[in-house]
Amino acid sequence: MRHPMASTHPAPHPAPRLPRAARTRFAWAAAALLATASLTGCGQDSAPPHAATATATAETQTEFNENGVTVRLSVADWKSDAGTLVATFTPDEAGFHLYSTALPAEGVEGVGRPTEVRPVGSVATAGEMTVDKPVKSITVPGVRAAVPVYPDGPVTVTLPIRATAPGEAKVLIGYASCSSTEGCTIPVADRAVSLRTGEHGLSFGTS
């Protein structure tokens, strides 16, 4: 299932996917090099840059599609150098979930990639991040501890932000999408989306 805002854009190419297997702790780098390797969980390596397609829909919103997820970013209520960054993550296919923002960066026993929205540069975090879906725990074969995920489908993250100075900024995006029956797509880490702050406010650059 694709995000509604993406309906006017060409359909994304099928996301590169890692098939399932008995072992879930293999490194994602190895999975990328060995096409016959199988995984159940998601690892930590980021996707190659050429895997992404992006489009800017307005100065205060943009979206891109990479590795099975459409990510839409927008800024709400921008006043006096402060506002709210809104990021909606929508898996392209039904039955896929994203991992909790509270998941450790290294995952749980090497499984998983946290959903991440992190501003750097001339924009800083100005409050606590919130998510519109509850966290639930699932068990993954080969992993002793429970893994925190969101329910299958889209997830929206909101984050208060403020401009610290005029100039260039970036929002670093991270995530992984997985299905209990179809396996996982290759994780995305530190995918940069450009921002600019100035006398006319805040705007997104070309992703």
Side-chain angles (χ1 to χ4, degrees):
M1 178 176 65
R2 298 183 57 206
H3 192 280
M5 293 301 296
S7 61
T8 59
H9 301 296
H13 295 295
R17 184 174 303 168
L18 296 174
R20 297 176 299 154
R23 296 181 59 86
T24 62
R25 303 182 209 181
F26 291 163
W28 281 98
L33 292 173
L34 302 176
T36 56
S38 301
L39 291 174
T40 303
C42 294
Q44 304 303 313
D45 287 352
S46 60
H50 67 270
T53 58
T55 179
T57 57
E59 286 189 350
T60 55
Q61 66 181 39
T62 188
E63 68 178 49
F64 67 89
N65 181 281
E66 187 166 349
N67 288 5
V69 176
T70 295
V71 181
R72 183 190 180 200
L73 297 168
S74 62
V75 176
D77 303 323
W78 186 258
K79 298 177 181 177
S80 302
D81 298 329
T84 301
L85 180 64
V86 181
T88 299
F89 300 77
T90 303
D92 293 340
E93 299 182 42
F96 278 75
H97 65 257
L98 292 140
Y99 288 91
S100 168
T101 59
L103 187 77
E106 66 277 9
V108 174
E109 298 179 25
V111 172
R113 165 72 193 169
T115 302
E116 182 179 33
V117 178
R118 180 164 55 93
V120 295
S122 62
V123 172
T125 299
E128 293 187 4
M129 178 182 294
T130 59
V131 185
D132 72 337
K133 295 295 191 299
V135 174
K136 66 176 185 178
S137 295
I138 63 172
T139 56
V140 176
V143 178
R144 291 169 295 175
V147 181
V149 304
Y150 297 114
D152 293 351
V155 173
T156 296
V157 175
T158 58
L159 179 67
I161 57 173
R162 61 183 176 86
T164 58
E168 297 293 333
K170 292 180 180 179
V171 180
L172 301 181
I173 303 295
Y175 58 85
S177 65
C178 279
S179 163
S180 60
T181 58
E182 300 296 327
C184 301
T185 60
I186 297 173
V188 172
D190 293 339
R191 205 291 192 180
V193 177
S194 297
L195 285 172
R196 173 175 285 276
T197 60
E199 60 180 342
H200 299 298
L202 180 147
S203 62
F204 286 100
T206 302
S207 297

